[in-house]
Structure formats: C-alpha cells, structure tokens
Amino acid sequence: MRLRALLDTDALGLRLLGGEDELERGVRGVMTTDLRDPSRYLSGGELVLTGLAWRRDAADSEPFVRILAQAGVAAVAAGTAELGDVPDDLVVACARHRLPLFAVHESVAFATITEHVVRQVSGERAGDLAAVVDRHRRMMTSGPAGGGPEVVLDLLGSDLDLRAWVLSPTGRLIAGSKAAGPSLPADVCARLAAEQLAASRTGRRGPHRVTQGQTTYSLFPVRGSGRSAPASHDVRETVLSDWVLAVEADAGDWAEERLDLLHGVTQLIAVERDRRDAARTVRRRLAQEVLELVQTGAAPAEIAARLRVAAPVLLPGLGAAPHWQVVVAHVDWDGGEVDGGPVAQALLEEILVDPGATGPEHSDRIAVAHTGDEAVALVPLPAVTGEHDGPGTGILADALLASVRDPLTAGLDGDGRLTLGVSAAVHSAEGLRGALEEARHARRVAAARQGRVCAAGHQELASHVLLLPFVPDDVRRAFTARLLDPLRDYDRRHRAELIPTLEAFLDCDGSWTRCASRLHLHVNTLRYRVGRIEQLTGRDLSRLEDKLDFFLALRMS
C-alpha cells in the first residue's frame, strides 16, 4: 500500500509533518519501537511507529532518523501522547534524510494503525501472489517446468512472509524457500511427516497444525494433479506417497481466500511432482524388464545386455558396469482390499534415497518394478570393494529404515505392514537371480518379526536366526515350556537365578572359570546351580545337543 492511502484514512488520525513529495512510497509492513537503534529488526519498507521514549534530548533525533533512513523504512509516525507535540528536532532530521514524518493523534492506538496496515498489505500481497501462482500454473501445465518447488516457495516468502518447505512422506526435505533459511532439522521433518500421515489416515480436513517446541506449523498435502480419485477412493492407495507443504504459521484463523491460495500453491507444486514422477517411467520400465528376464530364467547374456542398458541411465558417466543390489518390499493391508504393489513401489523409491539428501533428483538412480503386492528395486553401486569397507558395501538393512520408521508407522496406522529384504551385492547377471531370491528370503524373515515396519538383510540368512521365525507358535511354546518352565518355577519359589546362570554358562561356551568370574560366584556354587538345572530338566549340559536345545529355547522365549 502507499503512504498516501494511510494519510487519506481518517480513522488512523495521521497528520503529515514532512515529506509530501514521498507519499507514493510503498509500505511493506509496520513496526513499533522505542529503541535508540532498531536496525536489527528492520528489513526495509516499514512504517515505524514510535512513542519517542528513545529521545532524551534534541541531539538524539539525528542518529535515530539516520538509522531508519539507512534501513530503508517507508516513513515514521510519532505519537503525541507523551510529549504533546512532535519535537522540531525530529521534524528537521526527517526532512534532512527525506523521510516522511506523521504525527499520530493521542486518541489513536498504535495497535489500530498496525492492524490496518497488516490487513491492507496482506490482502494486496495475497492478490499479487494469487496472480503469480495462476500464471505459473498455466505455464507449467502447458510448457516446460517452471523451476521446481523452490520457485513458488520463494514467492510465499517474498510476497506473504511465509517460511515454507516441501517434505516427502518419509520426512525427507525436498525443497525450501530462501526465506526459510537453514534446513529444518531431520527430527522436525520426521515429526511433521508423521503428523501429516496420521491426520490423513483419520480423514481429518487440513490444514493440519503441529506445534514443535515454540513453533507452529500448518501442513497441506501435495497430491499429484494427475491422480484425481473418485469419491470411493481409499486413502491408503496414495497417503504413503503424497508430499506435504509445511508452512511456519498457524493457519487456524486464516481467511478462506488465503487458504484457497495455499491450496493453489500445493496444486502448483503437484504439477512439478507429476513431471518428476513421469521421469521415473524409463527407470521403472528397465527394472520391470530385468525382473521379468530374471524370473523367467532368461540366459545370463540377455540379462547382462539389459543391465548394460540400465547402467548409463541410472549412473550416467560411469566407466565400468556397477555392482547391483536387490531390495524387495511388501505392503500388506488388513482385509487385502487395497493393492499393495503400487504403494510398495512408491515407498521403495523414497526409502532408498539417502535421507540426508535434498531434492527429488537423488531418486534418479533407483529403478523399482512391482508385481502383485511386491515391489523390487534394482540398485546400482558404483563400486564394491570388501565386506567391511563402509559405504562401498551398499545398502544395510539395519540402517535402511532408521530415519523413516516413525513417519511410516503413522501412515500404516494400525492396519498395514511394510516389510523389506535386502540382498548382498552381485557383480554379474549370473548372480542376479540368486540376489532376488536372497532378498525375498530376507523379507520373509522381516515379516516374521513384530512391528509395522521391519527389514532384514542377507547377513541374517547365514544364521540360526533365519530358522527361528518360521517355527510355528504352538511348537515354540511347547519346546520352551518343556525346557525352561521348570527352571522359572524353581527361581520363583526359591528366589534362585537358574535362568540367568544358564544364559551366562552358554554365553561363556561352557567355561566354568569364565562363567563363575562373570557371575561373581565361586566355581563350586556355579557347579551346584548347573547340577540343579540338569536335575530339573533331565538334560546334561556337557552334551552339545542339550546345550543347543537350551540355546534355542532361550532365543525363542
């Protein structure tokens, strides 16, 4: 708004004392201050309201006005309640620095002026931004991409003073406006994503508000513009793949016009989202072709030819053929009425991106196919050196879900499960079929565990741990009860410690001296306890078979 518009508003009680030639200046905001140096709080274009408490004598006016002029403020409005009249030294200083000066009638509160300016400026900015958003939407839907989500986020920052970020469903930071400053901490991103997923699953109407520390965020879902759904649409089909626009503001008291504008912003971001999803088509097709060749038992030479085609697309500029890993994902919904394959595919494409990376382009090196309820990812590795050589060893199941478990658990919301299996790295087409089966076996191990989000890796397939999850529950209970219940009953009646003693004895490989030292017992006391264990169970702990039975019973209990 213009200064002239303020002067023409009788209700504001403003009287011009100087600067008539500058009344076309624009006002971008308002600030009330009685600091002698308020420069740190000024960004330019403000109407500065002051009660003159900073002024002790006439010499104070010149430095105060100079600071305001250097900061680029639009004008000064001085209250007359304290001094009766605006001092002449302030009028002279403002004239010297060509800074318009108003006197505020003592009957008018600064809050009245502030509310009027904020309302007018916000309305004008919203109108300007709406026009810009509409223009960009038309450009992006009919021509090349308009610069990505950052463009519209910068508009929110410059025109509405809103700090905003775009997050993936797992809480990965995709984009942020320049005005947003430093990136959101990873734990805040994960919390916001989890809250959005949980709110979407309950069907609550957005925007959803979340308070983190002293900051309130409003969350707007970003749904693909090409994925419109009928009224019968099941939210589980898309909730785990929708982006979210997080705005640092409380939208609870926003006018409908502003809410409509923010929803328009999400539609604009969705256009870019759909473009990037479309770019995945080639990579998905490559993965699908390789998967079909592997599953149908095609000749290794044919599979190798497909891998040579895929390598330049997934790792452009790579000199040699990479190693490959296979990751299998499965999403199960209670009732089975929702197709889990596309959901697992979208999730796997997101989960395999480095959680510390920003922007969607980092997923360009991941090819994911899906068949039925299963998604299969073909992940190229530039180099694999040794078994313990760090990142070169590829994806580790234990770390894969560490940063995304909480958001995804909120999105699965008690009626869904995500399980993943990870293969070892292979360097040839001949090894790819084995890698696929290895990843599927690992996923079944993960499925046998407790929890909504579970993963298992190839390392676990060479251990007895692989066998235990597939033992039927009734067999588990009978086996452990037969061996361990007599010991538990004895411990409960006599306050003994036979179970801890048994665990320590097995962990020490049956060494009497090491076990006695660990338990801080005399060896004779340890021998007495072991003898009591053997008497109660009818087993002999000097025999390998009986040691193994006890070991498995403890693991399954």
Side-chain angles (χ1 to χ4, degrees), residues 33 87 99 112 151 170 184 228 244 247 257 326 330 363 382 402 427 450:
T33 183
L99 188 62
T112 301
V151 173
T170 63
L184 284 177
S228 58
V244 57
V247 179
E257 293 79 5
V326 175
H330 202 279
S363 62
H427 66 277
Q450 298 296 316

Side-chain angles (χ1 to χ4, degrees), residues 94 102 108 117 161 210 234 260 285 304 322 435 528 551:
C94 286
F102 298 96
V108 178
V117 172
D161 296 327
V210 179
D234 192 317
D260 289 344
R285 186 170 64 247
Y528 171 80
F551 177 79

